[in-house]
Amino acid sequence: MADIVIDNLVKVYPGSTERANDSISMHIADGEFMVLLGPSGCGKTTLLRQIAGLELPTSGGIAVGGRDITYLPVHQRNLSMVFQSYAVFPHRRVRHNIAFGLKMRKLPQAEIDQKVAWAADLLQLGPYLDRFPAQLSGGQRQRVAVARAIVVDADVLLMDEPLSNLDALLRLSFRSELKRIVGQLGTTTVYVTHDQSEALSLGDSVAVMRAGKISQLGGPLEIYNHPADTFVGGFIGSPPMNFLDGTLTPGGISIAGHLVDAPPGAPGQGAVRIGIRAESLVVHPDPAAGRVPAEVLVVEPLGAATLLTAQVGQSQVKVQVPAESTVTAGQAIHLELPPRAVRLFDPETGLTWTLS
Ligand SMILES: Nc1ncnc2c1ncn2[C@@H]1O[C@H](COP(=O)(O)OP(=O)(O)OP(=O)(O)O)[C@@H](O)[C@H]1O
Ligand SMILES: [Mg+2]
């Protein structure tokens, strides 16, 4: 069992007054794939480095498999790591870089060769096994670092933006491979990224971080469909969630002077921020009760679908329509907001309203 318990972790770097990690608590189940997601500087690497033992917390604790590892040296933690700065040994050939952890663990040579071949094949490194890292591109070096980490049978796999230097195609194919491999290995994994699509695709759970704190921790669809606040809604999804200011009234929500149906269980009255996804908005050519008039500003064909930018009152929204849609820029449209897709946020705090 290698579950990870992080208990009220605080990290203040020496000479700093800010909390790089601020009261972080989470439980990562044995075999779970946890993604730490958030903008640059929010504290993802800091948290990972404390799990790894490369930084010590200011307060709080970390336990793996029931064992307190908060102050344990790195080599006693049975972890496997890929760093943001893909550190590989410059004086070792690719095959010896990949085999490094296996040699340290004194595995039989035949088994080492087999695992190296497996990882090299997976990461398309076969042709480079006898090269030195200086003879590789940045993306190839990064793949060597990933190969070295996944061949080892560690309790916990820690990865910090391991795909950041790969081109889009390789990144996509490797992402699904990684998901398959880690699923098969069953290794508890903590994976850092600032790419929300990578987080949604890989994570059993996603912890969305902001300014050292966790804004929301949940399954990928949960954070996509029910963001805890406007920050999470605006960070997750491409395009991000649309926000419109309105007023709750007994007859529904008033948006730019037009009344739309409120979601079931909406609270009392007053100012409200409405969140709705681009794919949830429905475009109609004609006005009707419950629809909000809008003007199409931009039409972007994306291949599988088309993305509209539309002006609604003082705000702009993104609307996803089928690729065969004939909507043109400058056209007047009428938007339907299906009540079940509408999320309500407090305009002051940005926090979601808990609907009963
Ligand atoms: N060694 C350090 N000394 C002092 N401050 C640090 C140190 N390392 C990081 N910080 C600060 O701590 C905060 C969190 O940094 P961290 O590297 O954890 O962010 P991150 O979420 O990994 O960002 P990125 O996506 O850019 O890698 C930042 O404000 C950063 O400037
Ligand atoms: Mg980082």
Side-chain angles (χ1 to χ4, degrees):
M1 275 292 283
D3 65 326
I4 305 174
V5 177
I6 297 173
D7 181 26
N8 207 11
L9 209 66
V10 175
K11 175 67 183 178
V12 181
Y13 284 106
S16 169
T17 52
E18 291 187 357
R19 292 181 165 201
N21 281 166
D22 191 356
S23 315
I24 292 197
S25 296
M26 64 172 85
H27 177 238
I28 307 169
D30 183 39
E32 187 173 355
F33 197 117
M34 170 67 75
V35 176
L36 307 178
L37 172 71
S40 183
C42 72
K44 307 179 295 293
T45 297
T46 300
L47 180 53
L48 204 71
R49 286 176 62 85
Q50 290 171 96
I51 302 172
L54 299 166
E55 288 293 344
L56 295 180
T58 306
S59 63
I62 305 169
V64 173
R67 182 171 68 138
D68 183 353
I69 61 153
T70 315
Y71 300 103
L72 218 58
V74 181
H75 66 272
Q76 289 180 23
R77 297 187 181 209
N78 195 24
L79 306 159
S80 202
M81 284 177 258
V82 184
F83 299 103
Q84 197 165 5
S85 54
Y86 53 94
V88 289
F89 304 116
H91 55 284
R92 286 198 168 95
R93 292 181 197 278
V94 169
R95 74 167 69 251
H96 300 126
N97 257 290
I98 299 175
F100 179 77
L102 303 171
K103 281 235 161 65
M104 295 279 288
R105 285 167 167 78
K106 300 197 167 50
L107 261 68
Q109 190 59 44
E111 195 175 330
I112 293 179
D113 291 343
Q114 187 201 339
K115 289 196 166 195
V116 169
W118 168 77
D121 183 45
L122 190 69
L123 290 147
Q124 300 174 23
L125 288 167
Y128 313 111
L129 280 174
D130 290 311
R131 290 202 194 170
F132 287 100
Q135 299 167 307
L136 300 176
S137 73
Q140 290 164 343
R141 269 201 292 275
Q142 198 168 35
R143 279 181 276 155
V144 174
V146 172
R148 191 176 60 190
I150 60 173
V151 290
V152 171
D153 188 18
D155 289 338
V156 174
L157 183 57
L158 303 176
M159 297 188 154
D160 196 347
E161 311 248 10
L163 312 184
S164 58
N165 286 300
L166 306 188
D167 65 59
L169 209 59
L170 196 56
R171 203 177 163 123
L172 213 58
S173 69
F174 184 61
R175 186 169 90 184
S176 51
E177 268 311 302
L178 186 70
K179 184 163 181 162
R180 191 176 64 81
I181 304 159
V182 175
Q184 280 175 359
L185 293 175
T187 311
T188 311
T189 303
V190 187
Y191 185 101
V192 166
T193 183
H194 60 256
D195 178 337
Q196 56 87 29
S197 65
E198 204 168 286
L200 294 180
S201 88
L202 285 172
D204 295 320
S205 297
V206 180
V208 186
M209 294 178 65
R210 179 193 198 184
K213 288 192 164 89
I214 295 178
S215 288
Q216 188 173 8
L217 199 165
L221 291 180
E222 185 186 343
I223 60 166
Y224 184 82
N225 290 319
H226 296 279
D229 57 29
T230 50
F231 168 75
V232 175
F235 196 76
I236 307 282
S238 174
M241 184 173 250
N242 294 304
F243 297 107
L244 288 167
D245 283 325
T247 311
L248 270 170
T249 73
I253 310 168
S254 168
I255 303 169
H258 294 262
L259 215 53
V260 303
D261 287 341
Q269 300 185 24
V272 72
R273 186 154 295 151
I274 293 139
I276 187 159
R277 294 267 174 209
E279 68 272 21
S280 301
L281 285 163
V282 185
V283 173
H284 297 278
D286 304 310
R291 294 178 188 168
V292 182
E295 185 195 346
V296 178
L297 300 176
V298 185
V299 177
E300 294 173 78
L302 301 177
T306 292
L307 193 64
L308 311 179
T309 305
Q311 187 79 34
V312 178
Q314 303 297 311
S315 313
Q316 290 185 2
V317 292
K318 302 281 187 191
V319 187
Q320 187 182 308
V321 294
E324 53 273 16
S325 162
T326 54
V327 174
T328 55
Q331 189 178 331
I333 54 171
H334 299 269
L335 293 173
E336 177 190 342
L337 290 75
R340 294 214 165 268
V342 169
R343 303 288 170 255
L344 299 181
F345 300 93
D346 183 326
E348 298 289 320
T349 62
L351 294 174
T352 191
W353 252 302
T354 322
L355 299 180
S356 53

